[in-house]
């Protein structure tokens, strides 16, 4: 899903830069960027769980700490922008969910396991599966649908149709 939001953001920028095209509301590029970062952070949380199952506690702490940093930045950034209350709640709920996980993992590693916590860059990249349930995830067509949907008066129904149809929702 992180790759999908990155692609949608690129499509939105390209669409808005064409002459004669209406500009998107200023909050949309921020919202797409925050969603991209949030889904990337959730991927780190899931990878951290895999490290815990494999008894790799230092790597678990590294991934959870990275995810926590991202969620803190996204929650802070969304407070200053004109985004929906639902988006702000979702970002803050994600932060509230990950923070105790990270704190517990740190406590356990410090008190019991004493594993070195590697920098995130030293760990294997998280394999992105995309949100469509098929290899490669979302396609440029999905990003184009989202970009087009943001400009019309019926953007909600178009976005819903794009999510339900080609994305397999």
């Amino acid at each position: 899903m992180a790759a999908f939001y990155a692609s949608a953001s690129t499509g939105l920028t390209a669409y808005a830069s064409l002459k004669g095209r209406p500009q998107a509301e200023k909050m949309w590029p921020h919202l797409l960027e925050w969603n991209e970062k949030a889904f990337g952070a959730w991927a780190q949380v899931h990878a951290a769980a895999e490290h815990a199952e494999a008894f790799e506690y230092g790597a678990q702490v590294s991934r959870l700490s990275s995810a926590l940093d991202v969620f803190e930045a996204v929650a802070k950034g969304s407070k200053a922008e004109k985004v929906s209350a639902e988006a702000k709640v979702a970002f803050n709920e994600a932060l509230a969910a990950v923070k105790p996980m990270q704190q517990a993992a740190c406590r356990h590693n410090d008190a019991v396991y004493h594993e070195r916590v590697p920098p995130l860059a030293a760990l294997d990249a998280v394999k992105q599966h995309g949100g469509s349930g098929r290899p490669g995830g979302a396609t440029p067509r999905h990003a184009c649908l989202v970009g087009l949907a943001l400009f019309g008066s019926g953007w909600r129904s178009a976005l819903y149709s794009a999510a339900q149809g080609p994305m397999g929702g």
Side-chain angles (χ1 to χ4, degrees), residues 55-60 109-110 112-118:
F55 308 106
E56 300 166 347
Y57 301 107
Q60 176 196 23
N109 192 51
D110 291 346
V112 179
Y113 306 114
H114 306 286
E115 285 193 15
R116 183 184 69 78
V117 178

Side-chain angles (χ1 to χ4, degrees), residues 91-169:
F91 293 137
N92 284 307
E93 285 178 347
L95 174 61
V98 173
K99 191 169 190 170
M101 284 188 240
Q102 187 269 351
Q103 291 171 337
C106 285
R107 270 194 321 272
H108 296 162
N109 192 51
D110 291 346
V112 179
Y113 306 114
H114 306 286
E115 285 193 15
R116 183 184 69 78
V117 178
L120 186 64
L123 299 174
D124 291 337
V126 174
K127 183 177 177 183
Q128 297 292 328
H129 297 287
S132 66
R134 60 181 183 262
T139 66
R141 177 173 177 247
H142 298 127
C144 186
L145 286 171
V146 171
L148 291 173
L150 297 177
F151 291 95
S153 61
W155 68 268
R156 291 176 202 263
S157 62
L159 188 59
Y160 177 80
S161 297
Q164 292 301 311
M167 290 181 62

Side-chain angles (χ1 to χ4, degrees), residues 23-39:
Q23 298 295 310
E25 290 183 41
K26 291 183 172 120
M27 68 126 182
W28 282 110
H30 294 293
L31 190 58
L32 291 172
E33 178 186 355
W34 294 328
N35 279 333
E36 175 189 354
K37 289 179 179 181
F39 276 100

Side-chain angles (χ1 to χ4, degrees), residues 1-97:
M1 283 304 290
F4 170 75
Y5 282 107
S7 179
S9 183
T10 301
L12 177 64
T13 301
Y15 182 83
S17 69
L18 297 173
K19 287 187 176 182
R21 297 287 186 192
Q23 298 295 310
E25 290 183 41
K26 291 183 172 120
M27 68 126 182
W28 282 110
H30 294 293
L31 190 58
L32 291 172
E33 178 186 355
W34 294 328
N35 279 333
E36 175 189 354
K37 289 179 179 181
F39 276 100
W42 279 121
Q44 294 295 338
V45 171
H46 291 289
E50 292 172 3
H51 285 299
E53 290 174 6
F55 308 106
E56 300 166 347
Y57 301 107
Q60 176 196 23
V61 170
S62 178
R63 291 198 190 272
L64 286 173
S65 296
S66 172
L68 180 62
D69 290 345
V70 170
F71 283 125
E72 286 174 340
V74 167
K76 182 180 178 183
S78 68
K79 286 180 185 176
E81 294 294 326
K82 292 182 180 179
V83 295
S84 68
E86 292 86 1
K88 290 179 183 181
V89 167
F91 293 137
N92 284 307
E93 285 178 347
L95 174 61

